[in-house]
């Protein structure tokens, strides 16, 4: 039972949606409904739902042939737009009734323009919308990231050339269960170096992202994750991992590289794009997720000139 359910009476809980923390055993039915919805937003991915559940006090449930979710973030507690097939208006009414039973305002987050159009068609004039720019996902054509062609990406090609010149021993490998421990060790070292740069003396809190990464690594095979790493003189200096998101989009969940190695980030980005293209020829876009409003991260993502943005909005009853 998630935290926001604990203080409710049994009578009320029995009449509400039975949200539960995502479990690995939920993956088959969740994946089925997500495939039917075919959304490109990174929230609509089982790995995201599972690995970030603690960070957002998140619960999921099935309402008819729809996946519905409840999470708590900067705006307070909210619902995800239903994902599945059938009468979406009925699923939204069920979520509205659930919020009313809890005595909470009804709010949905991570809505795309497509979702807003549907909501306005089914419930005209009943909702107001607010953009969440920090939550917009960056989508790139996979061929551009794999080949780095054109004038705009000239600087990325230069970074990669410097990396290869300075690190002639570099090799790219697929992540396997046997190499996950090395990636974990590299991540710990990445955090240690960050601590030194910031002048911190105590072990830093790895934060929500660090905990989500460790959970994903602990269940790498069960989640169906794929990943790649780069070695220099046998040492892991960069790694990344992701999994399919929709019929034409692949989600890159995590990426780490030693920033002091010029071109290391550009190199792991390019090599993994090539590997995904080889394994999943139907993929057109890589979703490299949002920038969380972090200035440096936004600058890095914009430097690759995204082809599309998955715009995200919150919807509240008027």
């Amino acid at each position: 039972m998630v935290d926001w359910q604990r203080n409710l009476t049994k009578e009320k809980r029995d009449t509400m949606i039975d949200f539960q923390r995502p479990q690995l055993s939920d993956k088959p039915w969740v994946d089925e409904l997500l495939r039917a919805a075919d959304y490109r937003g990174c929230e609509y991915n089982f790995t995201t739902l599972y690995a970030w559940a603690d960070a957002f006090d998140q619960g999921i449930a099935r309402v008819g042939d729809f996946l519905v979710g409840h999470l708590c973030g900067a705006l307070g507690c909210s619902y995800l737009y239903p994902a599945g097939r059938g009468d979406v208006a009925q699923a939204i009414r069920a979520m509205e009734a659930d919020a009313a039973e809890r005595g909470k305002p009804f709010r949905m987050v991570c809505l795309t323009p497509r979702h807003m159009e549907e909501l306005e068609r089914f419930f005209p004039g009943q909702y107001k919308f607010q953009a969440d720019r920090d939550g917009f996902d960056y989508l790139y054509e996979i061929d551009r990231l794999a080949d780095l062609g054109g004038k705009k990406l000239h600087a990325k090609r230069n970074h990669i050339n410097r990396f290869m010149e300075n690190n002639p021993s570099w090799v790219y490998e697929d992540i396997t269960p046997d190499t996950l421990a090395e990636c974990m060790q590299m991540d710990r070292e990445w955090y240690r170096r960050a601590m030194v740069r910031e002048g911190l003396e105590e072990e830093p809190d790895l934060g929500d992202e660090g905990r989500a990464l460790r959970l994903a690594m602990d269940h790498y095979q069960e989640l169906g994750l794929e990943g790649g790493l780069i070695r220099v003189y046998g040492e892991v200096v960069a790694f990344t991992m992701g999994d399919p998101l929709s019929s034409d989009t692949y989600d890159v969940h995590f990426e780490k590289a030693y920033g002091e190695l010029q071109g290391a980030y550009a190199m792991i980005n390019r090599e993994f794009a090539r590997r995904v293209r080889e394994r999943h020829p139907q993929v057109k876009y890589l979703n490299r997720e949002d920038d969380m409003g972090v200035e440096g991260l936004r600058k890095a993502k914009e430097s690759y000139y995204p082809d599309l943005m998955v715009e995200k909005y919150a919807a509240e009853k008027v």
Side-chain angles (χ1 to χ4, degrees):
M1 186 180 300
V2 288
D3 293 343
W4 40 265
Q5 288 178 306
R6 295 187 189 282
N7 295 327
L8 298 170
T9 65
K10 182 180 185 302
E11 290 76 13
K12 276 199 169 187
R13 289 202 300 268
D14 288 344
T15 64
M16 294 184 293
I17 297 174
D18 185 22
F19 288 106
Q20 299 290 333
R21 278 283 200 277
Q23 303 296 320
L24 291 172
S25 58
D26 293 319
K27 182 172 169 56
W29 71 264
V30 170
D31 282 349
E32 177 194 0
L33 296 181
L34 292 177
R35 281 193 298 270
D38 205 29
Y39 298 155
R40 288 176 175 158
C42 66
E43 298 81 13
Y44 294 96
N45 172 278
F46 185 78
T47 296
T48 302
L49 294 169
Y50 181 78
W52 291 87
D54 286 343
F56 295 106
D57 194 16
Q58 186 158 266
I60 61 171
R62 182 167 187 152
V63 174
D65 281 332
F66 285 93
L67 166 73
V68 296
H70 187 282
L71 67 160
C72 298
L75 294 177
C77 291
S78 310
Y79 297 79
L80 287 177
Y81 195 83
R85 53 181 173 265
D87 186 352
V88 69
Q90 184 176 356
I92 292 170
R93 291 188 189 98
M95 294 192 302
E96 284 184 320
D98 182 80
E101 285 289 346
R102 300 178 195 280
K104 301 291 185 180
F106 180 60
R107 179 193 303 111
M108 288 183 286
V109 292
C110 303
L111 278 74
T112 65
R114 166 187 166 183
H115 297 149
M116 290 193 297
E117 290 173 7
E118 287 184 355
L119 197 58
E120 190 62 23
R121 185 165 71 250
F122 295 127
F123 306 97
Q126 295 185 34
Y127 288 89
K128 61 180 181 179
F129 303 99
Q130 178 182 349
D132 175 20
R133 174 60 184 87
D134 295 349
F136 285 17
D137 288 352
Y138 293 74
L139 268 65
Y140 308 85
E141 290 187 0
I142 192 169
D143 288 339
R144 282 209 312 114
L145 293 193
D147 301 328
L148 296 178
K151 292 183 179 179
K152 287 184 176 180
L153 297 178
H154 177 72
K156 303 301 181 184
R157 295 195 298 274
N158 283 343
H159 286 313
I160 285 176
N161 289 336
R162 297 293 84 76
F163 181 86
M164 292 191 293
E165 290 172 5
N166 296 333
N167 306 283
S169 69
W170 79 273
V171 294
Y172 174 87
E173 302 173 8
D174 290 336
I175 292 177
T176 68
D178 293 335
T179 56
L180 278 171
E182 291 180 89
C183 294
M184 182 78 77
Q185 182 179 359
M186 181 263 167
D187 185 59
R188 292 194 189 99
E189 175 62 13
W190 188 94
Y191 274 102
R192 189 196 68 79
R193 295 184 187 190
M195 179 179 66
V196 171
R197 285 196 302 271
E198 295 176 13
L200 301 175
E201 297 181 358
E202 297 181 2
E203 188 69 21
D205 181 354
L206 297 178
D208 292 333
E209 191 267 351
R211 288 186 286 272
L213 172 59
R214 278 149 181 74
L215 190 59
M217 285 186 171
D218 287 343
H219 302 286
Y220 184 83
Q221 290 181 290
E222 298 99 314
L223 291 169
L225 288 167
E226 302 169 314
L229 61 85
I230 289 177
R231 296 183 188 274
V232 171
Y233 296 113
E235 178 187 354
V236 175
V237 299
F239 71 86
T240 187
M241 58 183 64
D243 62 356
L245 174 60
S246 71
S247 59
D248 66 355
T249 305
Y250 191 98
D251 194 346
V252 180
H253 294 289
F254 304 102
E255 182 181 87
K256 288 289 178 69
Y258 290 142
E260 59 268 32
L261 290 181
Q262 183 183 1
Y265 273 108
M267 196 68 174
I268 190 64
N269 188 334
R270 187 193 74 173
E271 293 302 296
F272 192 54
R274 291 179 172 183
R275 192 70 173 110
V276 172
R277 182 171 64 178
E278 176 186 336
R279 283 183 167 176
H280 305 280
Q282 79 282 4
V283 168
K284 183 177 181 180
Y285 297 106
L286 290 181
N287 182 330
R288 293 183 56 78
E289 301 193 350
D290 58 51
D291 59 37
M292 301 177 292
V294 177
E295 183 178 354
L297 193 55
R298 179 167 297 184
K299 183 178 179 180
K301 290 179 184 288
E302 289 179 341
S303 72
Y304 276 95
Y305 301 95
D307 295 286
L308 292 173
M309 300 290 286
V310 179
E311 299 178 11
K312 310 280 183 69
Y313 297 82
E316 293 189 51
K317 280 284 233 181
V318 175

